[in-house]
Amino acid sequence: MRQKRKLGSLLLAALLLLATLLTACGGTKEKETAGDNPAAGGSDSEAVTLKMLLIGGKPVDYDEVFGKLNEILKEKINTTVEAEFLDWSDWTQKYPLKFAASEDFDIVYTANWAYYNDQALKGGFLELTEDMLKEHAPKTFEALPQTAWDQAKVNGKLYMVPQNSQEVIDKVVLIRQDLVDKYKLDPVTDPATYAEYVKAVPANEKGVSGFGAKPADGWKWHELDDVLLEQQNQWSVINTGIPLAYSLDDESGKVFNVYDTPEFRELLSYYKDLADNGGWSKNIVNNKNDVWQDMKAGKVASYAQNLGTVAFNVAEARRDTPQYDMMFVDLTPDKYKTSAISTQNGLAIHATSKHAERALELIDLLQNDREIHDLTMYGIADKHYKPIGDDRYEPGPSAANYTGFSNWGWNSLLNRTDTSYPKEADDMLASWQDKVHHSALETFVFDDTNVKNQVASIGNVMLRYAIPLEYGLIQDLDKGQADLIKQLQAAGLDKVQTEMQTQIDAFLAAQN
């Protein structure tokens, strides 16, 4: 009996040892499987649905494209995505409310022009550490230059995975060259010849405005100010919700109120002349129309936008409305050019997300996985686009059904170029390269924590007093300018200017 018990004990020990070895092998196999995809835990990880907040209209074929995306993501990282779209007509109102209400979402499009600094400072975004990026977005961490990561930091902390794309952000104007030729106008090359064009169009073309804009979106500046105020004078506005700027040539970074300058007063006369001569609709401040669609419909003869956007518009027009000879013009060809910092586009993780690591894994795939990048940027191959080689494409028969939203949040080195992209745009961009000016303040971020109420009041003043004044709806320009300045002072502009200057001085001192 004692011998049998001994044999039984030995057999049990052997079985336990075998089970332990098999478990260890199984665990090693699981880890190896997960390791095949460093951005994921393999199919053994918990299934997760990520909610993504994007800007722009929901594409017609969203369900089809994101359905295909989810099939791929399910296989790669056991994840699916649901996107919500904030339409261009009211995104500026809805975007901050999503955070204020602590709504449930994981990934959100953001940019230096789309609440990045604001929400980073308010705690709306999750801080991203180097260890998090190395572990869950390794390809992006390696691909992006250190400068891009540094530019995306707010008070020394990172809250965004920025785009991996270099671009010059100066704006140009899109015009109808066929109308220039039809009325034998001087070539549009500068602000003066552009003004003649804007006035000539409504004088000769019934029902056509010389310039189109949509101030009702909540933008606090005239849509030509980027060109005729900032670029023309080589200034830089630090925060678009505050009328404070510095000169690109001033290494001390002294800020000033742009509304209280002779350059602004001169520009008011320029705008008033255009308005009085029918250059734009008298109801323009309430306009929410898509200006590009109005141009394609022959209702508007010009508008201002960055070179890349306008170039794609020209390519589209040459395909869809060849009767309109559209062309883009640089009205400030001899001035400094400004390159976008990395925060021009990007993705952030909501501070309340329960799936931050998986969100980073998705972002890593969006930027670096060819199949996923092509799908989310351009749609279904041979339907929405036709791939040409590794870096070009042609629009497909259903291209219009997958476009118009902020998928630029994951711009990367995998981006393709439309074969119809105008050569003139490439030539203009090349001519700009030796004019690009890097300011010591190009990565400065204003922290408005101490002056939040004043900043909000200033924004309201800009909408109520500056917008009508700039669009020529105020008859007495001197009084209008004086009223604007008075209201800004009452709103606390002096306090904001002092706070901004203090932060700039400290920023420059730290750099030196």
Side-chain angles (χ1 to χ4, degrees), residues 311-372:
F312 279 116
N313 288 165
V314 168
E316 184 179 332
R318 289 175 179 174
R319 182 183 69 240
D320 298 343
T321 55
Q323 69 273 26
Y324 302 146
D325 182 12
M326 295 193 189
M327 181 48 62
F328 42 87
V329 178
D330 179 9
L331 298 182
T332 59
D334 300 323
K335 305 296 183 178
Y336 289 150
K337 303 303 175 186
T338 307
S339 62
I341 62 175
S342 63
T343 54
Q344 181 73 8
N345 296 292
L347 295 174
I349 297 175
H350 195 193
T352 63
S353 172
K354 298 179 179 64
H355 308 293
E357 294 177 350
R358 197 71 63 86
L360 278 176
E361 293 164 6
L362 172 59
I363 293 171
D364 206 39
L365 291 171
L366 289 170
Q367 279 210 18
N368 301 285
D369 184 288
R370 167 60 78 184
E371 181 182 23
I372 288 175

Side-chain angles (χ1 to χ4, degrees), residues 73 121 145-146 149-150 179 186 211 235 246 301-302 309 317 348 358 389 407 409 411 419 445 457 499:
L73 291 178
L121 294 168
Q146 186 59 45
W149 294 116
D150 291 341
L179 295 179
D186 289 334
F211 175 77
W235 296 345
Y246 65 94
S302 75
T309 299
R358 197 71 63 86
N407 50 356
N411 276 338
T419 55
V445 176
S457 296
E499 176 69 19

Side-chain angles (χ1 to χ4, degrees), residues 49-237:
T49 295
L50 296 174
K51 296 182 180 179
M52 178 181 280
L53 194 62
L54 298 171
I55 299 173
K58 183 178 181 180
V60 175
D61 288 344
Y62 161 80
D63 290 335
E64 180 181 4
V65 175
F66 273 66
K68 176 65 174 174
L69 171 65
N70 285 334
E71 291 177 9
I72 301 170
L73 291 178
K74 187 72 175 175
E75 177 67 25
K76 286 182 179 286
I77 57 173
N78 203 14
T79 297
T80 54
V81 177
E82 295 176 359
E84 179 182 354
F85 296 83
L86 304 183
D87 195 79
W88 291 115
S89 64
D90 57 6
W91 77 271
T92 56
Q93 289 79 41
K94 288 184 175 179
Y95 191 104
L97 293 178
K98 294 286 184 181
F99 291 88
S102 296
E103 290 195 15
D104 180 24
F105 56 92
D106 300 285
I107 301 175
V108 56
Y109 173 85
T110 190
N112 52 16
W113 53 271
Y115 294 102
Y116 175 56
N117 300 334
D118 182 60
Q119 287 301 328
L121 294 168
K122 287 180 177 177
F125 300 140
L126 182 71
E127 181 189 351
L128 305 178
T129 66
E130 187 172 305
D131 287 342
M132 290 172 64
L133 293 166
K134 285 181 177 178
E135 183 173 357
H136 300 288
K139 292 183 178 179
T140 303
F141 182 78
E142 290 297 326
L144 269 169
Q146 186 59 45
T147 301
W149 294 116
D150 291 341
Q151 289 177 343
K153 290 180 179 178
V154 178
N155 290 343
K157 296 182 179 181
L158 181 72
Y159 300 93
M160 169 205 282
V161 177
Q163 66 174 3
N164 193 354
S165 178
Q166 297 293 324
E167 55 184 300
V168 178
I169 58 175
D170 278 42
K171 289 192 175 181
V172 295
V173 293
L174 182 62
I175 66 168
R176 290 264 305 273
Q177 185 61 39
D178 57 297
L179 295 179
V180 174
D181 297 338
K182 180 177 180 180
Y183 298 109
K184 297 180 173 57
L185 302 174
D186 289 334
V188 177
T189 59
D190 55 26
T193 50
Y194 177 65
E196 293 307 310
Y197 169 81
V198 171
K199 292 186 289 185
V201 169
N204 293 283
E205 295 283 317
K206 185 177 180 180
V208 183
S209 296
F211 175 77
K214 48 179 183 176
D217 271 3
W219 185 246
K220 299 177 177 66
W221 301 84
H222 192 295
E223 292 190 23
L224 282 169
D225 280 352
D226 288 297
V227 178
L228 300 178
L229 193 62
E230 285 194 79
Q231 292 170 204
Q232 180 71 6
N233 296 301
Q234 300 186 151
W235 296 345
S236 178
V237 172

